[in-house]
Amino acid sequence: MLQGRTTLSKFLIEQLRGTEDQADLAALLVDVTAAVKAIASMTAKGALGGYLGSLGTENVQGETQKKLDVLSNDAMIQACEWGGLVAGMASEELDEPYTLPREFERGAYLLVFDPLDGSSNIDVNVSVGTIFSVLRHGRLGDPSTSDYLRPGVEQVAAGYAIYGPSTMMVLTVGRGTHGFTLDREIGNFILTHPDLKIPEDTSEFAINASNERFWEAPVQRYVAECKAGRTGDRGRDFNMRWIASMVADVHRILMRGGIFMYPKDTKEPAKPGRLRLMYEANPIAFVIEQAGGAASTGRARILELQPEALHQRVPVMLGSRHEIERLERYHREHDSGTDRPFASPLFKDRSLYSAEGSA
Ligand code: AHG
Ligand code: MN
Ligand code: MN
């Protein structure tokens, strides 16, 4: 039964053989799996482990930290700091990058992560995840914040873990996107979903529709057309899902297609989006593109953005390629003023497109 199974470490060693990253990158990703197993065990214990609830502290984004946010952050640091593989780490839960203790050897990589994604879902026992991104540290010496600010196209590996009914890891080293399922009895991740491909077309979208009145016109247009279904311009019905853990929404898209949007909104004008570029948008965009999907802000490819700050936020639209291209077209038409039919008085009569949305 165990014969013929490909473990994550075997798979990575084979994928990276002959590349400049061969030994060290596989070893680092195996260290990440050690943290993922520890986080999987804590999330699975739930209330029995005393892990639920908040700590009462805030992270740099002003969000209340859950116990599991901080414990997951510690698990990632402990699993990855000692092996001589990373030069430093940065996390959603740390204001500044983490400097390795003196006694540990410095390695070639920078590891950036969201230790627990979807943490509002922990206490209600809905799937959460971990997101990670690996960059090269291009020089000697401990990295400073500016060393981390590399565009997503420079990632050498990225992926996520999802703690759902089963625990899975989905990752890429730039040679396709591959999924592994944790065999809990044996403690290994086994290749179960090789070479994932996102269908180019879809009739399923994910967005937090309670923000509708704060969206920009192109997003309002897209969602209005999906909701109009077969009676509207799209000529077919759409389905909607929103889990509020990006990892879980993205996982569904990798399994059966769809798109996910967290667009820019005017709810908090100082924030150009909800999700963070370095440890949410970039790693997920790499995974999505390697599976044949697209990832955009609506106006630019996410992976080509030049980061300006570690905790920078960006608008995110990703998934099935033809739908993301359509969203980009709606943004272009809006920006050039050629979306007039949509901005017609007729459309403005629809409840969706009133007041704030009619810019
Ligand atoms: P995090 O728990 O790491 O702060 O991220 C949560 C993110 C993302 O996973 C999810 O898609 C989104 O926030 C949910 O936002 P809403 O609360 O607006 O639904
Ligand atoms: Mn997150
Ligand atoms: Mn998080």
Side-chain angles (χ1 to χ4, degrees), residues 34-230:
V36 161
K37 287 179 210 171
I39 300 168
S41 151
M42 290 189 284
T43 53
K45 284 200 181 89
L48 296 176
Y51 298 128
L52 303 187
S54 296
L55 273 180
T57 51
E58 281 191 356
N59 66 14
V60 67
Q61 352 255 331
E63 297 164 341
T64 303
Q65 289 179 307
K66 301 272 185 185
K67 284 183 202 165
L68 269 177
D69 283 323
V70 173
L71 291 167
S72 305
N73 188 62
D74 294 348
M76 283 290 272
I77 288 175
Q78 275 168 29
C80 301
E81 69 177 346
W82 60 275
L85 302 167
V86 297
M89 292 181 258
S91 160
E92 179 188 345
E93 302 304 334
L94 301 172
D95 303 7
E96 302 292 336
Y98 178 76
T99 304
L100 301 186
R102 224 171 251 267
E103 65 265 32
F104 296 134
E105 204 180 308
R106 272 58 180 161
Y109 300 107
L110 301 174
L111 180 66
V112 188
F113 53 88
D114 174 355
L116 206 68
D117 175 64
S119 49
S120 71
N121 277 327
I122 295 168
D123 294 349
V124 291
N125 198 14
V126 170
S127 296
V128 290
T130 298
I131 311 174
F132 60 91
S133 161
V134 184
L135 293 159
R136 277 204 186 86
H137 183 40
R139 61 175 188 86
L140 293 173
D142 282 341
S144 59
T145 300
S146 60
D147 290 308
Y148 287 86
L149 304 181
R150 307 304 313 162
V153 284
E154 293 186 17
Q155 293 171 105
V156 291
Y160 65 83
I162 177 167
Y163 313 109
S166 59
T167 292
M168 287 189 68
M169 280 193 65
V170 173
L171 56 80
T172 181
V173 293
R175 297 177 173 203
T177 293
H178 310 282
F180 304 81
T181 305
L182 179 61
D183 182 331
R184 283 176 196 271
E185 279 79 51
I186 294 170
N188 274 337
F189 279 98
I190 306 297
L191 179 66
T192 47
H193 296 69
D195 213 10
L196 287 162
K197 288 285 172 242
I198 300 172
E200 290 182 334
D201 293 299
T202 183
S203 297
E204 196 160 73
F205 66 102
I207 193 163
N208 182 342
S210 69
N211 295 325
E212 190 165 291
R213 70 188 186 282
F214 302 113
W215 299 333
E216 287 191 287
V219 176
Q220 291 184 332
R221 173 185 177 185
Y222 179 85
V223 172
E225 289 177 0
C226 290
K227 286 165 68 176
R230 76 178 62 171

